[in-house]
Amino acid sequence: IQSDPNRLRQILLNLLGNAIKFTETGSIGISVDLVHGNVLRFAISDTGIGIGAESIRHLFQPFTQGDSSTTRRFGGSGLGLAISQRLAEMLGGNIQVESQPGIGSTFTLQIPVGVRTANKSTDPALTSGSTTHGLQGMRILLVEDDQDIRRIVRKYLERAGTRVDELTNGQEALERLSGSDSYDCVLMDIQMPVMDGRTAVRELRKRGYDGHIVAMTAHALSSEVASILDAGFQAYLAKPIDKGRLYQIIAEAARGSNSQG
């Protein structure tokens, strides 16, 4: 698979650590399977103290545990699950929980992943020659409020020979693209301050902008993708950004522009 090993490891260690912590007797089980062709699902089950329905609603909020007696008995700050959910969202997935007090809990982590083929040479997203071919000289607008993500994506793009401009929110993108500047492809984050990506793209389409705009999102589940495309994006990239997929998306944008021209 293709994913972020450090984030995935941290999530699994947090979930497994919780299962061990809150299970004094009984058992803990972990199952892993691939669903829908590209979604990796981990289920961590335990026969521990369980969680009430009211507490589950607040479980992923910072500094929250089941109740005060849980904190006194088992300790902890209540940050682990909030951090794990945030990391899962950064990988494009989420964590869900099913639990009954006194019976146990099951935490399910689902993340979209790229599945490597046995023969890498047949996978266009993994061969450097095919991924970078034709990208040289393209002009890309990168709209992202996270400095670290901008730095990584810019590095990928410049390695492929593209020219990159950076903006930090949708309002800036709206102003830039409503003017005379033109780009071969726009990469735009969904969640940003001042103006989010969906709002910016909807307004751009209303103003007649017909350029290729690609969403960058940590929420790549099917319902979220449908909403992204409905807003006016032509395609999406799941975070963390995969270099091969990034090159492929931009190449497709170039082919679309050429066919329209």
Side-chain angles (χ1 to χ4, degrees):
I1 67 166
Q2 294 173 322
S3 188
D4 184 320
N6 293 323
R7 288 173 178 169
L8 180 55
R9 183 182 299 110
Q10 184 174 351
I11 296 170
L12 293 174
L13 287 175
N14 281 345
L15 294 179
L16 183 57
N18 266 359
I20 295 171
K21 179 179 180 180
F22 294 109
T23 303
E24 295 182 321
T25 62
S27 62
I28 296 166
I30 305 174
S31 66
V32 187
D33 60 328
L34 194 66
V35 296
H36 309 304
N38 69 337
V39 176
L40 196 60
R41 180 172 62 192
F42 297 86
I44 294 91
S45 302
D46 65 62
T47 58
I49 63 173
I51 309 163
E54 181 64 26
S55 297
I56 286 177
R57 292 195 298 173
H58 308 288
L59 198 59
F60 295 103
Q61 296 178 5
F63 306 107
T64 299
Q65 289 189 339
D67 54 42
S68 58
S69 64
T70 300
T71 304
R72 290 193 302 270
R73 181 178 173 190
F74 294 96
S77 64
L79 270 175
L81 287 176
I83 293 171
S84 295
Q85 184 71 283
R86 176 58 180 152
L87 291 173
E89 291 171 353
M90 293 172 72
L91 294 177
N94 61 52
I95 300 171
Q96 298 177 347
V97 59
E98 296 180 359
S99 185
Q100 293 185 47
I103 296 178
S105 307
T106 298
F107 285 82
T108 303
L109 165 68
Q110 295 190 104
I111 58 169
V113 295
V115 181
R116 290 184 180 272
T117 59
N119 183 358
K120 293 183 181 180
S121 63
T122 63
D123 188 342
L126 299 175
T127 54
S128 59
S130 62
T131 54
T132 61
H133 178 69
L135 304 187
Q136 293 83 0
M138 290 183 65
R139 192 173 181 214
I140 310 296
L141 179 63
L142 174 60
V143 188
E144 166 65 63
D145 62 306
D146 189 298
Q147 183 179 358
D148 292 331
I149 294 176
R150 287 203 312 273
R151 184 182 298 115
I152 292 170
V153 175
R154 184 185 188 96
K155 187 175 182 179
Y156 289 161
L157 293 172
E158 289 180 342
R159 283 180 178 176
T162 69
R163 295 176 296 159
V164 186
D165 290 339
E166 296 180 16
L167 299 174
T168 60
N169 62 66
Q171 182 63 44
E172 293 175 350
L174 181 61
E175 294 171 0
R176 176 72 61 88
L177 296 171
S178 296
S180 58
D181 278 328
S182 62
Y183 293 89
D184 296 293
C185 184
V186 178
L187 303 173
M188 188 178 300
D189 185 26
I190 294 295
Q191 296 181 340
M192 294 181 289
V194 184
M195 181 182 289
D196 64 87
R198 282 193 186 85
T199 302
V201 170
R202 287 194 183 101
E203 184 60 32
L204 282 167
R205 299 310 186 196
K206 288 180 183 178
R207 297 184 184 187
Y209 183 82
D210 60 358
H212 204 93
I213 307 178
V214 177
M216 298 190 300
T217 177
H219 305 278
L221 301 179
S222 57
S223 59
E224 181 75 8
V225 170
S227 173
I228 287 170
L229 298 179
D230 287 343
F233 292 92
Q234 275 98 347
Y236 74 95
L237 278 165
K239 295 180 181 178
I241 302 299
D242 175 76
K243 180 172 63 175
R245 178 61 178 159
L246 173 66
Y247 293 160
Q248 184 182 16
I249 284 284
I250 296 175
E252 290 171 356
R255 286 195 297 269
S257 299
N258 292 337
S259 63
Q260 292 172 7

